[in-house]
Amino acid sequence: MRGGEREPVITIDGPAGAGKSTAARLLAERLGYRLLDTGAMYRALALGVLRAGLPPDDSPELRRHLDDVEVALGDDRVYLNGRDVTGEIRSPEVGEATSRLTMLAPVRDKVTPLQRALAAGGGVVLEGRDTGTVVCPGAELKFFLDASLEARTRRRHEELAGRGAVLPIETVREEIVRRDAQDRGRALAPLRPASDAITIDTSGLTAAQVVEVMLRAVERLCCTRS
Ligand code: DC
């Protein structure tokens, strides 16, 4: 990159099980960029709501809670009110609360500006559902990762098994279908590809192959930006 020029902002969106997290991490590593896991910020916030004993619905209590809560990202860790909660945000209970809370305007209004501020300096890879459409619509490079329901179910099933949660494959598939409908169908920041996103079908690709496709797009971008 030429002197003084800001490094690009790269967004990666897509449904659960499309391979976003691994690809985003590898891409950020290869480029030496910062990785912003936007879902982790929502999950940390959801954990705070659960701990406060609040239902994940819009209410004056929830809004007051959001005014006081602090969510931050740093070095692959996520912090809630200054405490590292990285290990606690991946439970199904937190996932369910997150899915409901991310439908609410006060929640998105709280988190989106934080994500924009973190991305402002460039040299970042953002991973989520709305990073190319809402958080950083001006990003230099946008990817949308998708995969067949079958491939996504298989990946998620393996991921859960790796964490010691062996569930029937049918249960995992139903969960994915339900989450998809929620993420794509919500009124605010629904999951969809940005009009200028590069869509990659990851069904038959390894994470390394996905990253190679992405790196070629980064090379094209950096050669054409002059
Ligand atoms: O990617 P994940 O499973 O950690 O995301 C958790 C939840 O947050 C999931 O329901 C989608 C939602 N989410 C969102 O609405 N917007 C984002 N930018 C990232 C995640």
Side-chain angles (χ1 to χ4, degrees):
M1 202 64 42
R2 271 170 294 280
E5 206 175 337
R6 166 178 149 307
E7 300 274 358
V9 171
I10 301 178
T11 62
I12 305 179
D13 293 306
K20 293 188 304 291
S21 305
T22 311
R25 187 172 38 76
L26 293 175
L27 183 67
E29 270 170 26
R30 289 283 292 270
L31 296 172
Y33 284 11
R34 232 182 128 193
L35 173 64
L36 303 183
D37 177 351
T38 63
M41 296 176 80
Y42 284 114
R43 283 174 179 269
L45 194 137
L47 180 68
V49 170
L50 287 174
R51 283 192 179 157
L54 294 170
D57 303 309
D58 198 353
S59 66
E61 291 75 21
L62 179 80
R63 287 173 185 246
R64 267 199 298 280
H65 173 83
L66 293 174
D67 281 344
D68 294 336
V69 84
E70 197 185 286
V71 172
L73 278 184
D75 291 333
D76 278 352
R77 316 299 298 173
V78 61
Y79 300 89
L80 174 67
N81 296 328
R83 235 178 52 81
D84 186 343
V85 292
T86 315
E88 290 147 271
I89 59 168
R90 300 283 159 200
S91 71
E93 192 195 7
V94 172
E96 183 53 40
T98 311
S99 185
R100 290 189 51 188
L101 283 164
T102 49
M103 291 194 269
L104 307 179
V107 170
R108 303 206 80 90
D109 290 348
K110 164 104 190 173
V111 179
T112 301
L114 299 175
Q115 295 168 346
R116 278 193 193 126
L118 289 169
V124 290
V125 175
L126 290 101
E127 181 230 321
R129 303 293 192 287
D130 65 339
T131 64
T133 50
V134 176
V135 182
C136 293
E140 283 83 358
L141 197 52
K142 301 177 185 175
F143 295 103
F144 190 85
L145 302 195
D146 212 343
S148 66
L149 178 61
E150 193 194 334
R152 292 165 52 215
T153 303
R154 187 171 23 80
R155 279 193 198 124
R156 180 96 182 109
H157 190 249
E158 282 166 11
E159 182 199 326
L160 287 168
R163 283 196 263 133
V166 182
L167 297 174
I169 193 108
E170 195 47 48
T171 308
V172 177
R173 183 180 295 113
E174 279 164 15
E175 172 67 17
I176 286 192
V177 169
R178 206 175 55 75
R179 277 287 157 85
D180 272 5
Q182 226 166 62
D183 286 347
R184 289 182 201 268
R186 70 180 173 220
L188 281 173
L191 170 66
R192 62 176 176 82
S195 58
D196 51 350
I198 299 170
T199 295
I200 305 174
D201 182 342
T202 67
S203 306
L205 301 178
T206 63
Q209 288 169 325
V210 173
V211 173
E212 286 311 315
V213 174
M214 291 176 154
L215 284 170
R216 283 203 291 277
V218 175
E219 274 165 28
R220 284 198 301 276
L221 170 78
C222 293
C223 296
T224 51
R225 270 166 29 112
S226 55

